[in-house]
Amino acid sequence: MAEPVLSIRNLKKDFGTREILKGLSFDVCKGDVVTIIGPSGSGKSTLIRCVNFLETPTDGQVLYKGRPVRDTFHKLSLYRTKVGMVFQQFNLFNNLNVLDNCTVGPVKVLGMDKLEAEQRAVQYLETVGMHGYVNARPGQLSGGQKQRVAIARALTLQPEVLLLDEPTSALDPEMVGEVLAVMRKLADEGLTMVVVTHEMAFARDVSSHVIFIDQGVIAEEGSPDEIFGHPKQQRTQEFLARFQLQYGAQ
Amino acid sequence: MQVPETFTGWVVFLLQQYGGVLLKGAVVTLLLAITGTLVGCVIGLVVGAIETIPEEEADSAVARILLRAVKKVLYAYVEVFRGTPMIVQAMVVYYGAMSIFNIDMSPLFAGFFVVSINTGAYMAETIRGGIESIDDGQKEAAIAIGMNHFEAMRYIILPQAVRNILPQIGNNLIINIKDTSVLNVISVTELYFASKSAAGVYYKYFEVFFITCCIYFLMTFTASRLLRWWEKRIDGPADYCLVEYDPMVDPCTEYPLTMVKKGGK
């Protein structure tokens, strides 16, 4: 088995007296697509935000290629360029057009040449099918288009791992498909991803590893076959039962 | 010399006699107002950016204490300069510099100084409000692509915040055009000072100040129209053009990006 790119070790997070994450551990290897599923309020988003330190974990460790993040990178910002993030609310920079949204990171953070960054950005915008919109401003795009640009923005930094925090949850149903298609394509191309999602069909068909989180702990994890085909825990079964209707439609 | 008898006659006469003096005063007023507003904006941007640093950004305990101390000092600056009249500040700065530090600054320099730090105090609060009005997601996304607080401020947050508070910057410019008249107490030869001198010659206060009134309004109205125009320009074109280009066809051609970027109209 390949060396893990990210290893999460006994991660804990409190907000005041509320314990959200109660010690989670898992590995993300190169080429893995890890999906994190679970009921609302179970700590999925907090977990993924702790992985790139948008939330500071209360306890536990995040290892990057086997070493603690703080040891490898003297600045967290450099680590964050290796671990891309896609948000539920897209968060495109409203003052910049599509192209500049993608290039501002490589140019201002990594000091890359502007033209080189633009060429790279166009290449990734092409991947997500948004290269025709380089001039558009975020306000002029639909939700699905915004999210695809947000994915291209994260990819332009060429991260080792892409974290996606419920990337389709803020979208109209008709736009979910286009974003999932892009994610599926990236998975096929071998991009390492950690996806928090409520799209069970995506988790079942695309991921290499599924983690079911409930009340701040990993209740069950395994291959999509194990989780969706033969869930062992009662909580997993109950949770998945809610999505059965959706399966019938597929 | 023929002395005019009607109101209009006096206005024309005074314009001929003192038009140049009043114009020079107006130029000084404009210079004071524009410089004061610009420097004030810069002060405001810096103070606003510092005041919004979250304490978690400071790595060590020393940095945290330093940050807290700097914030306290800036807070004091804002409160003191917002809380005292500019006319009093002018007196304190101009005469205070002379008696305490033995610095004999020119009235004009003292004027620039007072207007700038006064505007800066107001702008600091305006810009803090502007920064806080920007969705947290913008800052988060900037952090997530590897920016630190100041990079996020400079490239992402402040451009949006400044756009939102542009009307307030306009307010400040207009207020400054009018309120620099208080600097006559330290003999800065701005428009009000020039008018008072001109009026004193023939004791024609109404006639001179009628002209002055018109000049002030002309300046403020022009400023407000220019700012509106600038706002529109910042917003950019309402539409965009799709780029009909498929790099997969011939990956070796250089992508004419500079042309593409100007194409949105």
Side-chain angles (χ1 to χ4, degrees):
Chain A
M1 201 165 156
E3 183 204 2
V5 184
L6 286 178
S7 310
I8 314 303
R9 290 287 170 267
N10 197 28
L11 198 75
K12 288 181 185 163
K13 176 68 185 176
D14 306 335
F15 286 112
T17 54
R18 279 194 61 202
E19 225 181 348
I20 303 295
L21 301 177
K22 301 168 186 168
L24 294 92
S25 306
F26 62 93
D27 287 340
V28 182
C29 294
K30 195 150 183 60
D32 272 358
V33 178
V34 176
T35 49
I36 299 170
I37 58 172
S40 297
S42 56
K44 305 185 296 296
S45 289
T46 307
L47 170 62
I48 207 167
R49 289 165 61 83
C50 280
V51 171
N52 76 345
F53 297 93
L54 278 180
E55 303 285 356
T56 312
T58 314
D59 198 11
Q61 272 193 317
V62 179
L63 310 178
Y64 178 81
K65 297 189 172 171
R67 291 178 63 202
V69 168
R70 302 269 188 182
D71 292 357
T72 314
F73 301 94
H74 66 288
K75 278 187 204 158
L76 267 183
S77 55
L78 289 175
Y79 164 69
R80 290 192 180 114
T81 64
K82 297 287 181 194
V83 181
M85 180 86 172
V86 172
F87 297 88
Q88 184 175 351
Q89 300 294 342
F90 333 125
N91 296 347
L92 289 185
F93 303 132
N94 292 323
N95 56 323
L96 304 175
N97 68 17
V98 165
L99 188 65
D100 291 341
N101 257 281
C102 296
T103 57
V104 69
V107 172
K108 303 300 182 195
V109 178
L110 300 180
M112 189 190 266
D113 174 62
K114 177 106 181 163
L115 193 70
E116 196 188 335
E118 287 183 345
Q119 277 161 351
R120 197 197 268 185
V122 169
Q123 177 198 331
Y124 286 110
L125 285 168
E126 163 95 15
T127 308
V128 301
M130 288 297 293
H131 55 295
Y133 294 82
V134 281
N135 293 316
R137 290 192 164 242
Q140 296 163 328
L141 303 177
S142 73
Q145 291 175 326
K146 279 186 202 168
Q147 193 60 297
R148 286 189 282 148
V149 172
I151 292 173
R153 173 177 69 184
L155 291 177
T156 307
L157 283 163
Q158 298 189 329
E160 294 280 329
V161 185
L162 188 60
L163 310 176
L164 299 102
D165 183 10
E166 303 202 25
T168 58
S169 297
L171 296 175
D172 289 338
E174 56 179 325
M175 293 171 186
V176 171
E178 66 190 58
V179 174
L180 289 181
V182 165
M183 288 160 61
R184 200 177 281 248
K185 184 171 163 189
L186 294 173
D188 291 343
E189 286 172 6
L191 182 72
T192 313
M193 295 195 277
V194 180
V195 190
V196 170
T197 188
H198 288 290
E199 295 293 330
M200 292 305 143
F202 177 85
R204 184 191 56 192
D205 300 341
V206 181
S207 52
S208 51
H209 193 74
V210 182
I211 297 175
F212 173 66
I213 293 187
D214 191 28
Q215 291 170 11
V217 293
I218 296 182
E220 192 169 351
E221 61 178 317
S223 69
D225 266 357
E226 288 167 340
I227 299 292
F228 291 100
H230 323 279
K232 294 189 192 76
Q233 304 288 328
Q234 200 194 341
R235 279 186 292 175
T236 319
Q237 291 164 3
E238 281 168 8
F239 175 73
L240 290 173
R242 295 185 223 160
F243 293 91
Q244 289 309 314
L245 267 179
Q246 206 174 313
Y247 281 108
Q250 293 271 327
Chain B
M1 189 173 64
Q2 187 67 41
V3 174
E5 281 164 16
T6 60
F7 171 74
T8 341
W10 268 109
V11 168
V12 173
F13 176 77
L14 286 166
L15 268 176
Q16 284 166 347
Q17 294 280 306
Y18 294 102
V21 176
L22 293 180
L23 204 66
K24 261 187 211 158
V27 169
V28 173
T29 291
L30 263 188
L31 272 180
L32 278 167
I34 292 172
T35 317
T37 310
L38 285 179
V39 177
C41 281
V42 173
I43 297 175
L45 284 171
V46 173
V47 174
I50 294 174
E51 278 187 334
T52 50
I53 303 176
E55 280 194 10
E56 305 91 67
E57 296 250 340
D59 294 327
S60 61
V62 181
R64 204 161 301 170
I65 291 166
L66 195 70
L67 178 64
R68 229 174 273 173
V70 170
K71 281 189 183 179
K72 283 263 162 23
V73 171
L74 293 178
Y75 178 72
Y77 155 69
V78 169
E79 290 304 328
V80 168
F81 280 88
R82 278 200 313 178
T84 52
M86 192 155 81
I87 193 166
V88 176
Q89 289 166 14
M91 298 295 264
V92 170
V93 167
Y94 182 60
Y95 292 107
M98 214 177 312
S99 68
I100 296 180
F101 301 106
N102 223 357
I103 303 168
D104 186 9
M105 51 170 107
S106 72
L108 193 62
F109 179 81
F112 277 117
F113 184 77
V114 168
V115 178
S116 300
I117 50 173
N118 187 281
T119 312
Y122 281 96
M123 286 308 298
E125 283 298 282
T126 308
I127 284 167
R128 191 171 61 84
I131 291 171
E132 281 168 7
S133 75
I134 304 299
D135 177 31
D136 287 343
Q138 298 283 311
K139 173 87 185 285
E140 267 190 357
I143 298 294
I145 62 166
M147 290 189 179
N148 59 32
H149 175 80
F150 284 102
E151 286 166 335
M153 280 294 150
R154 179 162 164 216
Y155 301 116
I156 309 299
I157 312 292
L158 286 180
Q160 295 180 51
V162 168
R163 166 62 192 92
N164 287 354
I165 60 169
L166 218 54
Q168 187 55 36
I169 294 177
N171 261 349
N172 267 310
L173 177 61
I174 287 168
I175 289 172
N176 278 344
I177 291 175
K178 296 182 298 176
D179 283 9
T180 45
S181 56
V182 304
L183 295 174
N184 80 86
V185 294
I186 52 168
S187 331
V188 177
T189 52
E190 39 68 53
L191 183 53
Y192 177 82
F193 189 88
S195 308
K196 215 169 63 172
S197 318
V201 181
Y202 295 100
Y203 292 102
K204 284 290 171 191
Y205 284 91
F206 173 54
E207 287 78 356
V208 170
F209 278 97
F210 175 76
I211 299 170
T212 309
C213 194
C214 293
I215 300 176
Y216 269 120
F217 182 74
L218 199 71
M219 291 196 290
T220 55
F221 189 66
T222 313
S224 91
R225 297 315 299 175
L226 279 175
L227 279 157
R228 274 288 167 87
W229 170 81
W230 191 33
E231 270 177 45
K232 281 219 174 102
R233 236 190 69 144
I234 285 187
D235 287 342
D239 51 1
Y240 59 90
C241 63
L242 281 175
V243 180
E244 303 292 340
Y245 174 78
D246 191 345
M248 299 306 277
V249 176
D250 182 6
C252 299
T253 32
E254 201 151 287
Y255 197 63
L257 283 165
T258 39
M259 286 173 61
V260 168
K261 284 172 78 183
K262 284 176 185 149
K265 190 93 192 182

